Amino acid sequence: MSSGWSIVVDAHGQLAALPPRPTFAAHSMDTHWYVVDRDGQVARAWSDLEGAVPWTAYVEAGGPLVADLLALRVAREREEAPPSSRELACARRRSLVHVQPWELPWQWTGVLQFASDDYLAAFRDEFYPRADDYFWRIPFGGALAAALPRTVVAREIPRAGFTDYWDAGAIEAALWIDHCSPADVGLYEYGCEFSGPYRRRVVPGVPLLLHELPAEVQRLLGGARVRFAFHDQPAFDPEEQLGDCRRYGR
């Protein structure tokens, strides 16, 4: 699911694959990480400056997984749509609202599903020739390519350029992500202040359950599990629940 895995050999010549340990900002922890409770519900936790982050947890900077989950939602909804239909929607809080191209802002963040690999390559070459993973990203690192064909998450999408491709039929579906929070995709949220415990900040209306996600995503997010239920636990210490953790500076 992620890059940076290492292959090691022991004294008997046997091979093992070791996942990468998370990296953090130079000035602080400032890390989002994911944890699953005893009921299979998923939460996103933010370390702030000095909060402990478990080595076993999936970590990220900037929260891109929320957009990836929205991309998966769009793909699932399109499975039930007529083959020839196209969809342009906006993710506003807990619902997807259909919009028109002229309703988009001049630049916007969203999910794009292209009609062909050639159209995808042409769009990227024209508008994102040197973009890094922050501006142009394949959801879930490409592990769900079959479920999300020709799909990208992009920032600062130019409305004029998008409209040209949309009118030409080069884009099958697009989702404008407008003020969508982790809770809108079913994630609990916990946050830490300095080096204290993590406190619950947001309870989703409909919690996301790990077993509802594809097997690849379950393996990605299931590395850190706690023994309590999020709805019963307003605060917790990851070092007590999950053992070995990384803290800023050590």
Side-chain angles (χ1 to χ4, degrees):
M1 293 294 297
S2 60
S3 61
W5 284 67
S6 301
I7 302 296
V8 297
V9 184
D10 68 8
H12 302 288
Q14 300 178 100
L15 299 177
L18 301 181
R21 286 204 161 191
T23 55
F24 307 96
H27 61 282
S28 65
M29 294 299 286
D30 194 14
T31 299
H32 289 106
W33 55 279
Y34 292 82
V35 57
V36 180
D37 74 358
R38 71 182 183 201
D39 297 328
Q41 300 174 118
V42 185
R44 188 179 80 168
W46 181 49
S47 69
D48 202 346
L49 300 180
E50 298 181 0
V53 177
W55 287 116
T56 58
Y58 174 72
V59 302
E60 63 179 12
L65 191 72
V66 173
D68 292 355
L69 291 171
L70 283 169
L72 185 60
R73 178 178 174 183
V74 170
R76 286 177 167 175
E77 293 191 1
R78 282 193 56 75
E79 289 178 356
E80 302 176 359
S84 61
S85 68
R86 294 195 302 156
E87 182 178 53
L88 174 57
C90 175
R92 289 177 179 153
R93 300 306 176 188
R94 292 174 177 81
S95 61
L96 299 184
V97 181
H98 289 273
V99 295
Q100 298 297 325
W102 59 81
E103 297 180 75
L104 297 168
W106 287 106
Q107 288 186 324
W108 51 285
T109 295
V111 178
L112 303 178
Q113 184 179 44
F114 289 86
S116 71
D117 292 331
D118 289 340
Y119 282 135
L120 186 155
F123 191 90
R124 177 164 189 173
D125 289 345
E126 184 172 357
F127 299 109
Y128 296 89
R130 292 177 296 277
D132 57 21
D133 189 62
Y134 177 81
F135 288 97
W136 179 275
R137 192 182 72 258
I138 306 300
F140 302 108
L144 299 183
L148 297 168
R150 304 175 304 281
T151 300
V152 299
V153 176
R155 294 176 183 264
E156 298 185 10
I157 301 169
R159 185 176 74 184
F162 165 80
T163 301
D164 289 342
Y165 278 76
W166 179 259
D167 291 344
I171 297 174
E172 292 183 342
L175 175 68
W176 167 25
I177 302 173
D178 179 31
H179 305 300
C180 187
S181 72
D184 295 329
V185 294
L187 297 172
Y188 281 82
E189 289 189 77
Y190 283 81
C192 182
E193 295 182 2
F194 297 103
S195 59
Y198 282 77
R199 302 187 184 280
R200 191 178 61 213
R201 295 179 174 176
V202 178
V203 175
V206 180
L208 176 69
L209 298 177
L210 189 67
H211 77 263
E212 298 174 341
L213 299 171
E216 295 88 344
V217 184
Q218 292 184 40
R219 288 192 288 270
L220 182 73
L221 301 183
R225 295 174 180 259
V226 292
R227 300 180 296 274
F228 58 81
F230 294 140
H231 56 78
D232 293 332
Q233 196 79 11
F236 75 98
D237 183 340
E239 290 179 306
E240 292 179 357
Q241 289 285 328
L242 298 162
D244 190 23
C245 292
R246 170 72 182 268
R247 285 187 178 274
Y248 177 63
R250 63 179 177 85

